[in-house]
Amino acid sequence: MARNERDAATAAPDAFSGGNKRDTPPFEVTAKVALADNQLRRNLGKATQAIRDKREAAAGEMPDWEELREAGSAIKTRVMRHLDEYLVQLEDSVRRAGGTVHWARDAEEANGIVAGIARENIGEEGTREVVKVKSIATDEIKLNEHLEKEGIHAAETDLAELIIQLAGEGSSHILVPAIHKNRAEIRELFMRELGLGDLSDEPEVLAEAARIYLRRKFLSAKVGVSGANFAVAETGTVCVVESEGNGRMCTTLPDTLVTVMGIEKIIPEWRDFEVFMQTLPRSSTAERMNPYTSFWTGVSEDDGPREFHLVLLDNGRTEVLADEIGRQSLNCIRCSACLNSCPVYDRVGGHAYNSVYPGPIGAILTPQLAGIGSSPGADSLPYASSLCGACYEVCPVKINIPEVLIHLRGKVVRNKQDNGGAKAKLDPENVAMQTLAKTFSDPRLYEASQRAALVGQWPLARSGAIHSLPGRLAGWTSARDLAPVPEQSFRRWWREERGGAER
Amino acid sequence: MRVGLFITCFNDTLFPGTGRATVEVLERLGVEVDFPFEQTCCGQMHFNTGYQREAIPLVKRFVDVFSGYEAVVAPSGSCVGMVRELYGRAAELAGDRGLALRVAELQPKVYELSEFLVDRLGVTDVGAYYPHRVTYHPTCHSLRMLGVGGKPKRLLDNVRGIELVDLPQAEECCGFGGTFAVKNADTSTAMLSDKMQHIKSTKAEVVTAGDNSCLMHIGGGLARGRSGVEAVHLAEILAAGSGERGSS
C-alpha cells in the first residue's frame, strides 16, 4: 500500500462533540484501504482469534455468567434512567471527600478545564509535562493535541498508548491500541524516538526500555491525568482497571490528579463492583482478574495527590440518553469483547471506523455522539455490520448492538428522506426501496414483477449464471456469481400443481 | 395439523426448489400444508436497511395473512427472525397497539423449518437419503436470533447415506448480511473468502444451511471460484431420497 494511503488510514480521528460536524469519509472507503493491507489482516485475525478463544474459556468458568450479564445490564440501565440524580450524588460525594468537580458540556470546555488545572500546577520551571493513564475519554476530546497547543506535553504511560503516541498514530483497538503493530516496528520506533541506543526486538527488552523511559516521567511529573472505568455515586470513589501498573503510578505520584470521565461511567453503590470486577477482566483480557485495580476517593492527608479534580464530560451523551433505544450504548464498560468477536472488525481493523470507538460499539456510539447526518462517515457506521449478532452474544452488559444498529439505520434513512430534499428522493437506493415496497404491498404486482425479472435478466445470464450486474449491484458480482431467476416461481408451481387463486 | 407455509419472497422467486422441498418434507410427515397466495415479503430487507416506514405495511400484510393459522413454517431462519424478533419494534414504530397485540399473538406460532420439525412435531428422522459428504453452516440469524442450536444437525445426523463433516469456525458470519453484501462489498467478500477456505478444507461436496440468502452468497463465491462444492438448502437434503423413516 502506498505510504500516503496508509497515513490517511491510521491518522488520529477527529474529536467530536454533540451536533458538531466531523468530516469523515464513509466506512466502505476506509475499509477498502484497510482490506488491501494483507499483513494487517493476518496480524489482526491471529490476535482476535486468540483472545476470542481465551475469553470464551474465562466466561465459561463462571456458572452464573448469564446472571452476571443480566445484573450488569440492570445496574447500568438503572443508572441511565436516573443519571441526573446519580450525577448530583456523585458530585456531593466527591466534594465531601475533598475533591473538586467540574462539568464540561463538550470537548472544548473539558480541554479548557484540564489545561487550566495543568497550567496552574506544573509551575514555570522544569518540563512542562503531565503524565497520563490510558483513557479513551481524553482521546475522544483530543486532550493531548489541545495541551500541546498550550505548550504542555501529555506523556502517555500505557505501553501501547506510548507506542502509538511515538508513532503519531491513532488507536486501532479499545483495549490494545497498538494491535496493528509488530515487534520489529516497535523496536525501530523506540530506537528512533527514545534515544536508548541499540535494542533487540525481544518483548522483555522492549518493555524494559519503556520502563526506564517512563520511570523518569512518573518521578518528575507534578500533574497526572486519568480517565475512569467506574465512579461510585455513593462514595465518590473513582476506579481505574489496568494491566501494567502505570495507571497506579500516575494516580499516586503527582501532586495533582485530574480525572476526565464520561457522565455514563457511574455505578450507584460500592457493592456494584462485585458484578463488574467479575465481568470486565474476563470480557476484555480474558483474565480472571486484572493485575491492577486502583481506587481513589477525594484526597487524603499523607498519601497520594494533594489535589483531585473530577471533570464530568457530556460531549453528546445527554443526546444519546434521550433516545430510548440508542441509550443502551451508554451501558458500555469498554471491555472490547465486541471488537474481538466481530467478523467485520477482524477484516478491516480499528482505523476504518474513523473514531476512538471502533468495532461494533463504535458503530453505534460514534454516530450517536457525532449526530446522525453530521458526516458521511457517521451515517455509514450503522451499516458497517452484517448484523450477525456475535457482539451482542459476548457483551457483558447485554447491549443489543444489532437492535441499535437497525434503529440508527432507520434514523439515517429518515433524516435523508426528510431533510435531504429532491436529491435524497432520487437516490437509487431510495427509489429501489420505495418501488419494492409498493410491489410487495400488492401480490398481483409482485407476481408481475417476478415475470418481468425473468424477461429482464436475459442479457445478463450467460451459460446458466450471471457474472456481472450493472450499477449499484455491481458489488455483488465483484466476487460472486448469481444464479438466474428460474422459469417457475414457487407460487406458479403451487398454482399449477395444487390449483389456487388465479392471477 | 394444518400449517401456513411462509415461503419468503426470496425463495419464491429465486429458490422455488426449496419451497417444493419444504412441502415434500412436511407432507411426508402428515402435515397439511396451505400456501396463502396473498403473502409477499416479511419486510426484513426494508426494515434492516433503515426503510422502516416502508416496512410497516408489509408487516401488517404478513399479520393479516398468517394470523389465522395454528402454526406458520418457513425455510428461512432470517425471515422467521424478522417476524419473531423485530415485528414488535415495527408495531411500536407504527404506533399501532392493535397490531402489537396481534404480533405478540402470532410470534410464538412462527417456526423455522428445523424448529418446527424437532420442537413441534418431535421428529428428528424425516426419512431422507442423501449419499454425499456434507458440511453445515449455521447462519447467524438461525443461530443467534432464533437459537435453533443443534436442531438442523440432529436432522442431518439421521439422513441415511450422508457423511456429515464439521465446518471449522462454523459460527462465524459468512459476510452476506443482506444489503451489507452490496453496500460493503469488499468487506463482505473478505469474510466470504475465509468461509470458503473453511468449507473447502472439509472436502465436502455440499455445504448446507437453513437460509438461501447466505447460501446464494456462499454458493455464488464457490461457483465463481470453480470449487465444485455445491450450496444446497437444508430442506432439499431433508426432502431427498426414499421417504422411508428409520426406526430410531
Side-chain angles (χ1 to χ4, degrees):
Chain A
M1 184 187 310
R3 185 157 181 94
N4 57 345
E5 272 181 347
R6 175 64 183 259
D7 289 346
T10 56
D14 284 339
F16 42 72
S17 52
N20 284 357
K21 268 209 181 298
R22 303 166 64 225
D23 217 10
T24 50
F27 178 81
E28 56 269 26
V29 173
T30 42
K32 211 182 176 92
V33 177
L35 281 164
D37 188 342
N38 288 331
Q39 185 62 44
L40 172 83
R41 247 173 92 184
R42 267 195 298 273
N43 289 354
L44 263 178
K46 239 185 186 168
T48 53
Q49 180 64 46
I51 204 164
R52 264 204 302 272
D53 294 345
K54 274 203 234 162
R55 188 214 66 88
E56 208 175 321
E61 280 182 356
M62 306 293 286
D64 56 347
W65 185 252
E66 287 310 312
E67 286 84 352
L68 284 167
R69 287 178 75 210
E70 202 59 66
S73 169
I75 293 167
K76 282 292 199 171
T77 303
R78 189 169 79 242
V79 168
M80 295 319 148
R81 202 172 290 144
H82 304 286
L83 190 59
D84 51 345
E85 294 158 39
Y86 285 125
L87 278 167
V88 172
Q89 193 189 358
L90 176 68
E91 181 180 34
D92 284 348
S93 306
V94 171
R95 283 200 179 135
R96 254 202 323 276
T100 310
V101 174
H102 310 259
W103 298 83
R105 205 170 306 151
D106 54 24
E108 200 184 334
E109 278 189 15
N111 286 330
I113 293 163
V114 179
I117 297 166
R119 266 198 311 269
E120 222 168 275
N121 291 281
I122 289 173
E124 284 310 312
E125 71 268 28
T127 339
R128 288 174 60 78
E129 190 167 75
V130 299
V131 285
K132 277 191 69 206
V133 188
K134 175 180 182 300
S135 144
I136 314 172
T138 59
D139 284 349
E140 176 187 317
I141 58 174
K142 294 193 120 183
L143 176 66
N144 294 7
E145 286 84 336
H146 181 86
L147 290 176
E148 211 71 59
K149 272 187 224 146
E150 303 242 344
I152 300 165
H153 177 66
E156 292 291 351
T157 64
D158 172 86
L159 184 53
E161 283 287 345
L162 173 65
I163 291 167
I164 59 168
Q165 187 177 41
L166 292 175
E169 289 178 5
S171 161
S172 69
H173 189 282
I174 287 178
L175 187 77
V176 204
I179 197 168
H180 58 290
K181 285 228 170 291
N182 66 30
R183 270 198 273 161
E185 288 173 302
I186 294 166
R187 168 182 177 263
E188 195 201 326
L189 192 66
F190 276 12
M191 282 174 52
R192 195 174 68 226
E193 301 290 331
L194 302 186
L196 292 173
D198 193 26
L199 298 170
S200 82
D201 67 355
E202 288 301 306
E204 295 80 10
V205 173
L206 294 175
E208 183 60 17
R211 188 178 286 124
I212 293 165
Y213 171 79
L214 288 171
R215 185 143 304 171
R216 288 201 302 266
K217 307 249 169 206
F218 290 132
L219 292 172
S220 62
K222 296 235 169 40
V223 177
V225 177
S226 88
N229 286 94
F230 304 98
V232 188
E234 181 189 38
T235 60
T237 307
V238 181
C239 167
V240 160
V241 177
E242 47 145 355
S243 293
E244 297 167 10
N246 58 307
R248 181 163 296 176
M249 304 280 254
C250 291
T251 55
T252 49
L253 289 172
D255 292 337
T256 304
L257 173 61
V258 192
T259 299
V260 182
M261 65 169 252
I263 51 173
E264 79 279 20
K265 290 299 181 85
I266 294 187
I267 56 174
E269 297 173 33
W270 182 266
R271 63 173 216 175
D272 296 327
F273 274 117
E274 183 227 350
V275 174
F276 299 110
M277 293 318 294
Q278 292 184 82
T279 51
L280 177 57
R282 282 172 202 265
S283 300
S284 60
T285 51
E287 291 169 301
R288 292 179 178 134
M289 178 54 75
N290 51 291
Y292 296 89
T293 305
S294 303
F295 300 101
W296 60 99
T297 311
V299 289
S300 50
E301 198 114 314
D302 34 39
D303 189 24
R306 267 172 271 161
E307 248 185 63
F308 170 58
H309 297 267
L310 181 62
V311 182
L312 296 169
L313 175 72
D314 182 339
N315 208 30
R317 286 163 173 77
T318 46
E319 290 291 326
V320 185
L321 197 67
D323 183 322
E324 258 177 74
I325 295 170
R327 176 189 295 172
Q328 56 186 309
S329 322
L330 297 177
N331 293 2
C332 175
I333 56 172
R334 310 279 187 263
C335 72
S336 74
C338 65
L339 276 64
N340 300 327
S341 70
C342 177
V344 173
Y345 177 89
D346 218 15
R347 303 307 186 294
V348 302
H351 291 139
Y353 294 81
N354 260 303
S355 163
V356 292
Y357 303 105
I361 187 65
I364 58 173
L365 201 50
T366 305
Q368 292 191 86
L369 289 175
I372 297 292
S374 64
S375 76
D379 282 6
S380 72
L381 286 176
Y383 294 94
S385 164
S386 65
L387 302 178
C388 81
C391 49
Y392 181 27
E393 194 173 60
V394 296
C395 178
V397 288
K398 295 187 86 164
I399 301 171
N400 190 336
I401 294 178
E403 179 187 38
V404 181
L405 286 167
I406 294 170
H407 171 66
L408 295 177
R409 290 175 181 192
K411 289 182 117 178
V412 168
V413 169
R414 231 166 305 147
N415 176 56
K416 278 190 189 145
Q417 288 177 338
D418 295 350
N419 306 315
K423 198 177 150 221
K425 289 204 174 64
L426 293 173
D427 172 72
E429 181 185 285
N430 188 54
V431 172
M433 288 291 179
Q434 302 295 339
T435 311
L436 276 171
K438 262 199 204 97
T439 308
F440 286 140
S441 64
D442 178 352
R444 282 165 191 277
L445 199 56
Y446 162 65
E447 197 169 339
S449 74
Q450 282 183 331
R451 284 198 211 104
L454 196 58
V455 178
Q457 70 179 349
W458 71 264
L460 301 171
R462 272 186 212 110
S463 59
I466 296 172
H467 301 294
S468 130
L469 284 171
R472 284 225 162 171
L473 295 172
W476 177 271
T477 41
S478 63
R480 292 154 289 211
D481 284 352
L482 192 63
V485 180
E487 192 66 40
Q488 188 187 40
S489 68
F490 177 81
R491 63 181 56 220
R492 257 181 92 177
W493 170 79
W494 183 276
R495 188 179 303 113
E496 281 161 22
E497 291 288 312
R498 315 275 170 130
E502 262 317 308
R503 289 268 176 255
Chain B
M1 190 193 313
R2 185 166 160 271
V3 303
L5 196 56
F6 165 36
I7 283 303
T8 84
C9 60
F10 198 77
N11 284 319
D12 179 17
T13 310
L14 296 171
F15 297 94
T18 297
R20 295 196 296 268
T22 306
V23 175
E24 157 76 29
V25 173
L26 292 171
E27 290 186 342
R28 188 191 288 168
L29 297 170
V31 178
E32 198 189 320
V33 180
D34 187 21
F35 175 75
F37 267 90
E38 296 299 305
Q39 67 176 287
T40 56
C41 165
C42 67
Q44 180 180 204
M45 183 177 66
H46 285 89
F47 200 83
N48 282 359
T49 311
Y51 293 81
Q52 288 156 9
R53 287 194 280 216
E54 289 78 358
I56 288 167
L58 305 180
V59 170
K60 283 184 180 155
R61 157 174 292 280
F62 186 95
V63 174
D64 284 344
V65 170
F66 285 108
S67 276
Y69 290 96
E70 189 185 341
V72 179
V73 184
S76 164
S78 182
C79 301
V80 170
M82 169 69 192
V83 176
R84 285 234 298 262
E85 293 299 313
L86 294 169
Y87 267 28
R89 278 285 311 134
E92 214 176 288
L93 263 171
D96 188 336
R97 261 196 74 68
L99 180 65
L101 287 171
R102 294 177 69 206
V103 161
E105 205 184 314
L106 177 61
Q107 277 168 332
K109 299 193 291 184
V110 182
Y111 296 89
E112 181 271 338
L113 179 62
S114 74
E115 285 180 321
F116 181 77
L117 296 176
V118 176
D119 291 348
R120 191 69 193 259
L121 297 185
V123 172
T124 51
D125 181 354
V126 298
Y129 172 69
Y130 195 75
H132 298 285
R133 189 174 165 95
V134 177
T135 194
Y136 169 72
H137 166 63
T139 61
C140 300
H141 284 177
S142 298
L143 182 73
R144 301 199 181 89
M145 230 176 179
L146 298 180
V148 300
K151 285 159 207 165
K153 267 204 157 165
R154 283 170 67 196
L155 290 161
L156 287 167
D157 269 335
N158 287 303
V159 171
R160 267 162 292 283
I162 202 167
E163 191 190 344
L164 202 57
V165 279
D166 281 338
L167 179 64
Q169 314 281 334
E171 296 190 354
E172 188 167 292
C173 178
C174 69
F176 172 63
T179 42
F180 175 78
V182 176
K183 276 178 181 276
N184 282 288
D186 297 311
T187 312
S188 168
T189 305
M191 289 158 72
L192 172 63
S193 102
D194 291 344
K195 182 59 75 181
M196 291 196 300
Q197 284 299 324
H198 294 312
I199 292 169
K200 283 186 240 168
S201 78
T202 66
K203 305 258 186 292
E205 301 157 70
V206 167
V207 55
T208 191
D211 256 296
N212 270 329
S213 43
C214 311
L215 285 175
M216 180 175 80
H217 166 75
I218 296 171
L222 290 169
R224 175 67 58 92
R226 296 176 196 279
S227 68
V229 187
E230 217 184 320
V232 178
H233 193 282
L234 176 70
E236 292 173 47
I237 294 181
L238 299 181
S242 64
E244 283 166 30
R245 293 169 62 191
S247 52
S248 59

Short mmCIF file of all heavy atoms in Angstrom, two decimals, chain A residues 26 44 52 93 97 106 138 143 154 165 167 194 201 221 249 256 311 356 369 393-394 459:
data_model
loop_
_atom_site.label_atom_id
_atom_site.label_comp_id
_atom_site.label_asym_id
_atom_site.label_seq_id
_atom_site.Cartn_x
_atom_site.Cartn_y
_atom_site.Cartn_z
N PRO A 26 -16.91 7.83 4.31
CA PRO A 26 -17.73 6.66 4.66
C PRO A 26 -16.89 5.42 4.92
O PRO A 26 -15.78 5.28 4.39
CB PRO A 26 -18.62 6.45 3.43
CG PRO A 26 -18.25 7.44 2.44
CD PRO A 26 -17.17 8.32 2.96
N LEU A 44 -4.25 -9.08 12.70
CA LEU A 44 -5.49 -8.88 13.43
C LEU A 44 -6.22 -10.20 13.64
O LEU A 44 -6.65 -10.51 14.75
CB LEU A 44 -6.41 -7.97 12.63
CG LEU A 44 -6.42 -6.51 12.98
CD1 LEU A 44 -7.35 -5.78 12.04
CD2 LEU A 44 -6.85 -6.30 14.42
N ARG A 52 -10.40 -14.28 21.52
CA ARG A 52 -11.78 -14.82 21.48
C ARG A 52 -11.87 -16.15 22.21
O ARG A 52 -12.74 -16.36 23.04
CB ARG A 52 -12.20 -15.07 20.03
CG ARG A 52 -13.00 -13.98 19.39
CD ARG A 52 -13.84 -14.48 18.23
NE ARG A 52 -13.11 -15.12 17.16
CZ ARG A 52 -12.59 -14.47 16.14
NH1 ARG A 52 -12.66 -13.16 16.06
NH2 ARG A 52 -11.95 -15.11 15.19
N SER A 93 -20.56 13.55 46.83
CA SER A 93 -19.63 12.61 47.48
C SER A 93 -18.19 13.02 47.24
O SER A 93 -17.36 12.96 48.15
CB SER A 93 -19.85 11.19 46.95
OG SER A 93 -21.19 10.82 47.08
N ALA A 97 -15.33 14.38 50.01
CA ALA A 97 -14.04 13.70 50.20
C ALA A 97 -12.85 14.61 49.87
O ALA A 97 -11.71 14.17 49.85
CB ALA A 97 -13.99 12.46 49.33
N ASP A 106 -18.81 20.05 26.44
CA ASP A 106 -18.24 19.47 25.22
C ASP A 106 -16.72 19.38 25.33
O ASP A 106 -16.14 19.69 26.38
CB ASP A 106 -18.64 20.30 24.00
CG ASP A 106 -18.30 21.77 24.17
OD1 ASP A 106 -17.38 22.08 24.96
OD2 ASP A 106 -18.94 22.61 23.52
N THR A 138 -10.30 10.97 27.09
CA THR A 138 -9.40 12.07 26.71
C THR A 138 -8.99 11.97 25.24
O THR A 138 -8.69 12.98 24.62
CB THR A 138 -8.15 12.11 27.61
OG1 THR A 138 -7.44 10.88 27.50
CG2 THR A 138 -8.51 12.38 29.05
N LEU A 143 -7.51 15.64 23.96
CA LEU A 143 -6.87 16.43 25.01
C LEU A 143 -5.38 16.64 24.74
O LEU A 143 -4.88 17.75 24.92
CB LEU A 143 -7.07 15.72 26.37
CG LEU A 143 -6.38 16.37 27.56
CD1 LEU A 143 -6.99 17.75 27.86
CD2 LEU A 143 -6.45 15.49 28.80
N ALA A 154 1.61 15.96 26.94
CA ALA A 154 0.90 14.91 27.69
C ALA A 154 1.59 13.59 27.39
O ALA A 154 1.49 13.09 26.27
CB ALA A 154 -0.56 14.87 27.27
N GLN A 165 1.60 6.87 20.41
CA GLN A 165 1.92 8.30 20.54
C GLN A 165 3.25 8.60 19.86
O GLN A 165 3.38 9.58 19.13
CB GLN A 165 1.98 8.71 22.01
CG GLN A 165 2.15 10.22 22.18
CD GLN A 165 2.15 10.66 23.64
OE1 GLN A 165 2.75 10.01 24.49
NE2 GLN A 165 1.46 11.77 23.91
N ALA A 167 4.55 6.97 17.49
CA ALA A 167 4.39 6.78 16.04
C ALA A 167 3.49 7.85 15.41
O ALA A 167 3.37 7.92 14.19
CB ALA A 167 3.82 5.39 15.76
N LEU A 194 13.23 7.19 21.53
CA LEU A 194 13.56 7.24 22.96
C LEU A 194 15.04 7.48 23.23
O LEU A 194 15.42 7.73 24.36
CB LEU A 194 13.12 5.94 23.66
CG LEU A 194 11.63 5.59 23.57
CD1 LEU A 194 11.32 4.37 24.42
CD2 LEU A 194 10.76 6.76 24.01
N ASP A 201 14.53 -7.01 19.50
CA ASP A 201 13.07 -6.92 19.48
C ASP A 201 12.42 -7.93 20.42
O ASP A 201 11.26 -8.27 20.26
CB ASP A 201 12.55 -7.04 18.04
CG ASP A 201 12.78 -8.42 17.45
OD1 ASP A 201 13.44 -9.25 18.12
OD2 ASP A 201 12.30 -8.66 16.32
N ALA A 221 6.80 14.25 37.21
CA ALA A 221 5.56 14.95 36.86
C ALA A 221 4.84 15.49 38.08
O ALA A 221 4.76 14.83 39.12
CB ALA A 221 4.64 14.00 36.10
N MET A 249 0.83 4.46 39.13
CA MET A 249 1.91 5.44 39.29
C MET A 249 1.38 6.85 39.04
O MET A 249 1.66 7.78 39.78
CB MET A 249 3.05 5.15 38.30
CG MET A 249 3.62 3.76 38.39
SD MET A 249 4.76 3.58 39.74
CE MET A 249 6.30 3.54 38.83
N THR A 256 -1.01 16.64 41.83
CA THR A 256 -2.37 16.95 41.38
C THR A 256 -2.86 15.86 40.43
O THR A 256 -2.11 15.45 39.54
CB THR A 256 -2.39 18.31 40.64
OG1 THR A 256 -1.84 19.30 41.51
CG2 THR A 256 -3.80 18.70 40.23
N VAL A 311 -13.55 15.83 36.19
CA VAL A 311 -14.23 16.54 35.09
C VAL A 311 -15.31 15.61 34.52
O VAL A 311 -15.00 14.53 34.01
CB VAL A 311 -13.23 16.93 33.98
CG1 VAL A 311 -13.95 17.71 32.87
CG2 VAL A 311 -12.08 17.74 34.54
N VAL A 356 -12.43 7.10 17.89
CA VAL A 356 -11.73 6.46 19.01
C VAL A 356 -12.50 5.23 19.48
O VAL A 356 -11.97 4.43 20.22
CB VAL A 356 -11.51 7.42 20.19
CG1 VAL A 356 -10.53 8.50 19.80
CG2 VAL A 356 -12.80 8.02 20.68
N LEU A 369 -22.94 10.05 19.13
CA LEU A 369 -22.23 11.17 19.76
C LEU A 369 -22.02 12.30 18.76
O LEU A 369 -22.14 13.47 19.09
CB LEU A 369 -20.88 10.71 20.32
CG LEU A 369 -20.92 9.81 21.56
CD1 LEU A 369 -19.53 9.33 21.93
CD2 LEU A 369 -21.55 10.53 22.75
N GLU A 393 -23.89 -11.32 21.66
CA GLU A 393 -23.69 -12.58 22.38
C GLU A 393 -22.60 -12.46 23.46
O GLU A 393 -22.69 -13.07 24.51
CB GLU A 393 -23.28 -13.63 21.35
CG GLU A 393 -23.35 -15.05 21.82
CD GLU A 393 -23.09 -16.00 20.64
OE1 GLU A 393 -22.01 -15.94 20.03
OE2 GLU A 393 -24.00 -16.78 20.34
N VAL A 394 -21.57 -11.66 23.20
CA VAL A 394 -20.46 -11.59 24.15
C VAL A 394 -20.55 -10.39 25.09
O VAL A 394 -19.82 -10.33 26.08
CB VAL A 394 -19.08 -11.54 23.44
CG1 VAL A 394 -18.83 -12.83 22.68
CG2 VAL A 394 -18.95 -10.33 22.54
N PRO A 459 -30.29 -10.53 -20.91
CA PRO A 459 -29.00 -10.05 -21.41
C PRO A 459 -27.86 -10.33 -20.42
O PRO A 459 -26.69 -10.27 -20.81
CB PRO A 459 -29.20 -8.54 -21.56
CG PRO A 459 -30.62 -8.25 -21.22
CD PRO A 459 -31.20 -9.44 -20.59
#
